[in-house]
């Protein structure tokens, strides 16, 4: 396998991962970024802890999807992350379903 073949393979894997992300993002309520990973999740619990004068973050996620091109199973039931680095948690805006008076379902 040449270096170009390997690069093309990695590019294809990243594109497939992006497409999967695009397909599943609407199933989740939160986007979570740590220094090592990117997650989508429906439950997020972030706790700030300290020990021996050091501050760290303990993050628990439920019903999550992991952005990792090398994982065969990206959907996970729960995730626990402990980190001394920054954690970013954003709540995704949900598009509201408004069928109005003339919606397809009878009253």
């Amino acid at each position: 396998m040449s270096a170009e073949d390997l690069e093309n393979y990695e590019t294809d894997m990243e594109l497939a991962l992006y497409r999967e992300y695009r397909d599943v993002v609407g199933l989740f309520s939160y986007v979570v970024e740590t220094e090592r990973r990117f997650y989508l999740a429906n439950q997020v619990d972030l706790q700030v802890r300290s020990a021996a004068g050091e501050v760290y973050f303990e993050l628990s996620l439920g019903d999550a999807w992991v952005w990792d091109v090398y994982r065969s199973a990206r959907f996970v039931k729960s995730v626990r992350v402990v980190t001394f680095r920054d954690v970013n948690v954003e709540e995704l805006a949900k598009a509201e379903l408004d069928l109005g008076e003339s919606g397809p379902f009878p009253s």
Side-chain angles (χ1 to χ4, degrees):
M1 180 178 263
S2 71
E4 184 178 334
D5 290 339
L6 182 59
E7 187 174 318
N8 288 339
Y9 173 76
E10 288 178 348
T11 300
D12 290 345
M13 292 291 291
E14 289 175 7
L15 182 58
L17 181 63
Y18 170 75
R19 287 179 177 149
E20 182 178 331
Y21 164 81
R22 185 187 61 203
D23 291 343
V24 302
V25 68
L27 302 172
F28 296 93
S29 299
Y30 299 94
V31 173
V32 179
E33 262 185 291
T34 69
E35 80 277 2
R36 295 191 61 200
R37 295 277 191 277
F38 177 88
Y39 303 90
L40 298 172
N42 282 321
Q43 293 95 33
V44 176
D45 180 35
L46 178 62
Q47 300 293 319
V48 179
R49 309 270 192 219
S50 63
E54 296 287 333
V55 174
Y56 65 94
F57 303 98
E58 185 173 345
L59 180 64
S60 297
L61 308 176
D63 185 25
W65 181 87
V66 184
W67 179 287
D68 188 340
V69 73
Y70 299 107
R71 289 180 65 103
S72 59
R74 286 185 268 280
F75 288 95
V76 291
K77 184 176 180 177
S78 64
V79 176
R80 181 175 174 259
V81 177
V82 177
T83 181
F84 287 94
R85 307 269 182 153
D86 290 341
V87 175
N88 185 40
V89 178
E90 296 178 24
E91 187 170 4
L92 293 168
K94 294 287 184 181
E96 292 186 24
L97 181 62
D98 182 14
L99 299 176
E101 292 295 322
S102 62
F105 303 109
S107 305

